[in-house]
Amino acid sequence: MLSLAIVVPCFNEEAVLPSTMEQLLAVLEQIQSDDNEISGKLYFVDDGSRDRTWELVSTAAARDKRICGVRLSRNHGHQRALLAGLLSVDADIVISIDADLQDDLDVIGRMVAAYREGNDVVYGVRSERDSDSFAKRVSAVAYYRLLKLMGIEVVHNHADFRLLSRRALNTLREYREVNLFLRGVIPTIGFPSTQIQYRRKTRDAGRSKYTMRRMLSLAVHGVTSFSALPLRMIALLGIVVSFGTLLLSGWVLWTRLTNDAAVPGWASSVLPIYLLGGIQLLGIGVVGEYVGKIYLETKRRPRFIIQATVGEGIRYDRRHADRYSHS
């Protein structure tokens, strides 16, 4: 019997959760009717919601054994909530999907079929971004181009809708970094993988939790977690500025010798101060970002803390755990 788990991170999703549960249960029933050798469960990870999300999950779990819940002690962020779910399930294959169900549910069955064909990782990839605003489409294109420029291996137009085999999940457990960026980590696993394209839908209810600030934070986090190129760019910038300063010095000297009307001292003092001051602040900021990440990694604080669980089939290996407190 092949066990399937669908992991759904949730943060203040009471508006969409009843519909999400109903639709995902229908998907499980459809998959099981097509293949009676598959058993499935839903795992909802409450990432410190302030609404009735956990109440809805607990009630549903008491009513239906196919529903399980994991409650984090506070809001740890989408990536860590997703990781908490992935490391807590006990299944042969795990599919992660957002609670808003903008991702195409029909792809889940195709993902399982792709796994049957020998793929350990199956990526759900958006074929277009028509449902996004103009600003989000432009920023997304710029984001993926930036990651590619930095030498970071990511799947274009893929977020966190994916299938992972048990072998891939066991490998993921060995990644212990606190600065978590799953979209960059998963492609480094290296097992056989494939992509399935789909059209993304609009939200049925509620609103997106990824504000512009969070998206910018994720972009910076992705770059600094997987590439040292910004540090090298600072070194290159230093070389360029040094060479430019030599040229500027030659121009200032030539102007002083050939033009009696030149105001003495303005070019040789004002321009270098502003130029070098700005570059120094930029360099300190980038270096500080990396130093901050080193600081967080060395402290080895838990990436998430589980406060409570409901339902059966939740696996939590203390050897690979962060912190676990069941109540």
Side-chain angles (χ1 to χ4, degrees):
M1 181 70 71
L2 182 68
S3 56
L4 164 67
I6 299 179
V7 173
V8 187
C10 305
F11 178 64
N12 295 339
E13 297 289 0
E14 68 172 340
V16 300
L17 209 50
S19 174
T20 297
M21 290 179 179
E22 180 181 352
Q23 294 183 58
L24 287 177
L25 286 174
V27 169
L28 288 182
E29 292 172 358
Q30 181 61 46
I31 292 176
Q32 290 173 322
S33 66
D34 295 338
D35 188 345
N36 54 19
E37 293 186 358
I38 294 181
S39 62
K41 284 189 174 184
L42 307 179
Y43 293 79
F44 294 90
V45 183
D46 180 11
D47 186 23
S49 298
R50 295 184 293 270
D51 60 3
R52 296 176 57 249
T53 294
W54 181 246
E55 179 184 340
L56 294 174
V57 172
S58 300
T59 303
R63 185 176 61 249
D64 194 325
K65 292 184 177 181
R66 295 172 297 175
I67 296 178
C68 302
V70 176
R71 187 181 191 183
L72 303 187
S73 62
R74 62 175 180 83
N75 180 247
H76 289 76
H78 179 270
Q79 294 289 284
R80 295 187 182 191
L82 177 55
L83 182 69
L86 294 176
L87 299 186
S88 300
V89 301
D90 186 14
D92 297 316
I93 52 177
V94 179
I95 294 176
S96 57
I97 189 171
D98 289 337
D100 55 24
L101 293 191
Q102 289 184 264
D103 301 312
D104 188 357
L105 296 183
D106 293 336
V107 173
I108 293 178
R110 295 163 60 189
M111 285 181 168
V112 175
Y115 166 79
R116 295 282 199 185
E117 295 171 359
N119 294 287
D120 288 280
V121 183
V122 183
Y123 300 100
V125 178
R126 299 176 62 172
S127 59
E128 45 76 28
R129 306 190 70 97
D130 293 342
S131 60
D132 291 343
S133 64
F134 175 77
K136 192 167 184 178
R137 287 198 301 269
V138 172
S139 61
V141 171
Y143 171 63
Y144 286 110
R145 287 182 178 177
L146 175 63
L147 293 181
K148 184 177 180 180
L149 177 65
M150 296 294 175
I152 302 172
E153 183 182 358
V154 294
V155 178
H156 186 70
N157 277 339
H158 164 72
D160 293 295
F161 183 31
R162 68 175 73 90
L163 176 147
L164 296 174
S165 69
R166 172 50 54 187
R167 180 168 68 161
L169 279 173
N170 289 338
T171 303
L172 180 62
R173 291 176 182 272
E174 304 303 321
Y175 287 77
R176 301 297 301 158
E177 60 256 45
V178 174
N179 299 287
L180 189 66
F181 184 62
L182 289 175
R183 301 177 192 183
V185 169
I186 301 299
T188 65
I189 291 178
F191 292 134
S193 64
T194 188
Q195 300 179 14
I196 297 179
Q197 294 194 345
Y198 67 97
R199 293 178 62 90
R200 205 161 191 255
K201 302 179 294 183
T202 57
R203 289 179 66 98
D204 292 333
R207 59 185 180 85
S208 174
K209 307 305 183 298
Y210 263 102
T211 61
M212 182 59 68
R213 180 181 63 84
R214 289 192 175 188
M215 287 190 292
L216 289 175
S217 176
L218 182 65
V220 173
H221 189 59
V223 171
T224 54
S225 295
F226 282 86
S227 176
L229 186 59
L231 295 174
R232 300 189 184 102
M233 291 175 65
I234 290 177
L236 178 61
L237 184 60
I239 295 174
V240 172
V241 170
S242 298
F243 181 72
T245 302
L246 290 175
L247 295 179
L248 180 62
S249 300
W251 174 78
V252 170
L253 181 61
W254 173 260
T255 302
R256 181 67 183 87
L257 294 176
T258 60
N259 188 357
D260 294 335
V263 178
W266 73 268
S268 59
S269 59
V270 175
L271 290 180
I273 288 175
Y274 280 96
L275 181 62
L276 295 178
I279 292 175
Q280 287 173 350
L281 290 175
L282 173 64
I284 291 172
V286 174
V287 173
E289 181 71 21
Y290 280 90
V291 172
K293 288 186 177 296
I294 296 172
Y295 173 65
L296 292 174
E297 291 290 345
T298 55
K299 289 195 295 185
R300 308 304 299 169
R301 287 182 176 177
R303 293 175 291 183
F304 55 84
I305 300 174
I306 293 181
Q307 176 179 332
T309 62
V310 292
E312 301 177 355
I314 295 179
R315 166 183 178 177
Y316 205 81
D317 189 346
R318 290 181 181 273
R319 294 172 301 174
H320 300 285
D322 287 89
R323 292 288 174 83
Y324 179 69
S325 173
H326 181 77
S327 61

